[in-house]
Amino acid sequence: MSQLSSVFLFLIRQFPKGHLLATLCLAGVVGFALIAPGAGNSVTSKTTLDLSLPSPSEKAPIIEIPARPWLEATVRSGDTLGKLLGDRGVSATAIHELMSSSKEIKQLANIKPGDIIRLEKNHIGQLIAVQYQPTRIKTITADRIDGNWVLTETQRNYEHQIKYANAVIDDSLFLAGQQAGMSDNMIMKLANIFGWDIDFVMDIRRGDHFRLLYEELFLDGEKVGDGNIVMAEFWNQGRQVNAFRYESPEGGIDYLDLKGDSLRKEFIRTPVSFTRISSRFSTGRYHPVLHRVRAHKGIDYAAPRGTPVKAAGDGKVSFAGNKGGYGRVIIIQHGQSYSTLYAHLNSYANGVRSGKRVKQGQVIGYVGSSGLATGPHLHYEFQLNGVHRNPLTVPLPKARGIPDKERKEFLIYANKLRNQLALYAETSVLAQNESN
Ligand SMILES: [Zn+2]
């Protein structure tokens, strides 16, 4: 699951806190499980979603662990696996043999109080198996086979259930999402997907609305977490933006629009979070330290000292060091045409130095006031073909979308999802009318 949770690393704009207390969202907001476990309503049969994606990620069926004569032991404070086994009559030699059998066996020793360890002994009391479940879905079993310990790891899969939610924004995306029954985490995911196109603080207008299909994760009929947003539609000031989750055959995950182009851009607009702009791009301004009029070829973001500064895009550090008025500065070259510059840093992030490759959103340094600066801020410059451009307004190139050979299949898939979403939306209206 780790690859799924680290899809996007880009900057997320903060939600206005005051909005949490502000007026409630007016319009009808629905977020109900249409395929809830055991919810035998008429809706279920009509809208079972066929998510047969053009994707290689089909999960293996759940592995049933056959019932074995396990002896269960609860880990207490201060227990090690050795102590726990010793307390249950396993000889020191047998414990040593188990623990020194392989490097991977260490996983078994990583126990904490409250965990359950299962043991199996043969008819003469020798330890022949140990089993441990470090998480709800992962089980590690060591079996003694022909005098050797063999380790196997099994992973259960979550049951994915599709939920539909829609909301009209009266105040903030956050509030509307909550009204629609979405978790904070899911609202953040939605904001992340559309954050490249929509500034959720500045651009949102009353009446903007969205609808989406997303996954919830279940184990044994119990909800244990959120999955992914499968698709979403957002109407912002009358403009509609669509997003479809797509997993490439290589396992890369991206959100694509109706044409199969990525919603991401090659650059994040603002390389530092939680800031205000303290000085804009201009061709002439009075410099507070130099006391003369000078062009300001970048944007200043006032931020507390130590605030992380992120690489605006993938690239290679071409300079990291001291440079006159810039103080501690990092310059990143992005391909042939683009470069970005981050000045007045307090310090550099570990391992960031000239010649190193960096990823978009990676922390490269920390806000400071080195060089000619009146207070802690990030001075950020954006160059295209050697010419300074205003980072706030320069058109940013889109990240590469789907490869042409996969596009046709994607379009079919996207269309199918749109139809499913429409069906959910229709059903949701019907269900609402019925309950009124
Ligand atoms: Zn500046």
Side-chain angles (χ1 to χ4, degrees):
M1 297 301 292
S2 63
Q3 60 166 9
L4 305 183
S5 55
S6 59
V7 181
F8 292 101
L9 293 164
F10 59 82
L11 187 72
I12 168 92
R13 293 177 173 96
Q14 65 195 109
F15 294 94
K17 284 202 186 95
H19 286 183
L20 293 174
L21 304 165
T23 38
L24 289 174
C25 152
L26 287 171
V29 156
V30 202
F32 61 96
L34 290 173
I35 329 178
N41 57 36
S42 59
V43 169
T44 313
S45 56
K46 261 195 276 182
T47 52
T48 304
L49 189 54
D50 174 16
L51 286 179
S52 46
L53 330 187
S55 141
S57 67
E58 284 299 312
K59 301 287 186 297
I62 292 169
I63 295 157
E64 294 288 345
I65 300 156
R68 284 164 62 165
W70 290 116
L71 194 80
E72 288 201 346
T74 306
V75 178
R76 284 166 311 183
S77 173
D79 271 353
T80 61
L81 184 62
K83 181 177 183 300
L84 186 134
L85 293 174
D87 287 352
R88 280 153 189 85
V90 180
S91 74
T93 319
I95 294 169
H96 179 76
E97 196 191 83
L98 168 70
M99 299 311 290
S100 57
S101 61
S102 70
K103 232 191 276 170
E104 290 72 32
I105 207 86
K106 293 280 180 293
Q107 293 184 72
L108 208 60
N110 202 11
I111 55 175
K112 28 183 209 314
D115 286 347
I116 304 282
I117 302 288
R118 297 187 188 89
L119 324 176
E120 192 185 343
K121 290 182 180 180
N122 64 10
H123 61 287
I124 54 164
Q126 286 174 322
L127 183 70
I128 55 164
V130 182
Q131 191 179 71
Y132 173 50
Q133 232 179 315
T135 66
R136 278 186 73 158
I137 57 165
K138 190 170 160 184
T139 304
I140 301 165
T141 311
D143 283 290
R144 196 163 190 272
I145 298 165
D146 298 331
N148 296 312
W149 283 99
V150 177
L151 208 66
T152 46
E153 196 182 303
T154 55
Q155 191 109 16
R156 288 180 62 187
N157 289 306
Y158 295 107
E159 301 141 42
H160 293 233
Q161 293 182 358
I162 300 296
K163 276 189 89 174
Y164 167 78
N166 77 304
V168 178
I169 297 172
D170 183 56
D171 185 65
S172 74
L173 170 73
F174 193 74
L175 205 55
Q178 281 189 329
Q179 294 285 309
M182 294 162 67
S183 69
D184 293 359
N185 175 24
M186 194 51 75
I187 300 167
M188 290 301 274
K189 285 185 179 181
L190 185 70
N192 274 343
I193 292 169
F194 292 110
W196 299 94
D197 265 307
I198 302 163
D199 181 326
F200 284 103
V201 177
M202 303 303 292
D203 294 345
I204 292 297
R205 298 290 179 273
R206 179 170 297 197
D208 281 357
H209 54 283
F210 63 85
R211 56 188 195 177
L212 69 155
L213 295 177
Y214 65 99
E215 296 167 330
E216 286 188 328
L217 306 180
F218 285 76
L219 274 179
D220 307 318
E222 184 194 336
K223 191 194 162 185
V224 289
D226 286 318
N228 300 300
I229 290 176
V230 177
M231 78 157 290
E233 295 179 344
F234 206 106
W235 285 264
N236 174 234
Q237 303 186 34
R239 182 175 65 107
Q240 188 187 347
V241 192
N242 295 277
F244 302 89
R245 185 176 191 277
Y246 181 74
E247 190 173 340
S248 72
E250 293 80 36
I253 288 153
D254 201 0
Y255 282 88
L256 308 177
D257 67 13
L258 278 172
K259 290 183 286 187
D261 293 330
S262 179
L263 266 74
R264 288 181 300 116
K265 301 281 201 292
E266 275 187 40
F267 297 94
I268 50 179
R269 187 71 77 180
T270 313
V272 60
S273 320
F274 309 117
T275 55
R276 63 185 172 79
I277 291 168
S278 52
S279 176
R280 289 176 183 275
F281 188 87
S282 79
T283 44
R285 66 149 192 170
Y286 180 76
H287 195 281
V289 176
L290 295 175
H291 300 293
R292 54 187 155 87
V293 174
R294 236 175 71 150
H296 189 234
K297 293 182 166 181
I299 298 284
D300 289 349
Y301 295 98
R305 187 179 305 279
T307 304
V309 174
K310 299 163 189 175
D314 291 358
K316 195 172 178 181
V317 176
S318 61
F319 183 85
N322 259 289
K323 206 175 210 177
Y326 283 133
R328 280 184 277 275
V329 63
I330 294 173
I331 302 171
I332 301 176
Q333 188 67 39
H334 312 272
Q336 293 293 309
S337 317
Y338 294 90
S339 78
T340 53
L341 177 149
Y342 315 75
H344 308 311
L345 299 174
N346 195 52
S347 57
Y348 310 103
N350 272 343
V352 173
R353 56 180 176 272
S354 199
K356 284 277 171 186
R357 296 222 143 262
V358 289
K359 300 294 276 178
Q360 182 177 67
Q362 181 183 334
V363 174
I364 51 169
Y366 301 91
V367 170
S369 54
S370 59
L372 287 176
T374 48
H377 73 279
L378 173 72
H379 170 90
Y380 174 56
E381 293 181 10
F382 191 100
Q383 284 196 23
L384 174 53
N385 296 323
V387 179
H388 283 92
R389 304 290 297 269
N390 183 348
L392 291 182
T393 55
V394 63
L396 297 176
K398 279 193 167 188
R400 201 175 65 100
I402 199 167
D404 283 340
K405 61 180 165 48
E406 292 168 39
R407 193 175 293 258
K408 197 176 154 200
E409 209 174 1
F410 165 77
L411 294 178
I412 295 165
Y413 163 66
N415 204 41
K416 196 153 113 184
L417 270 184
R418 287 187 90 192
N419 291 336
Q420 292 289 355
L421 181 78
L423 195 58
Y424 269 93
E426 219 171 87
T427 317
S428 128
V429 171
L430 283 177
Q432 226 180 3
N433 289 343
E434 264 169 43
S435 66
N436 285 342

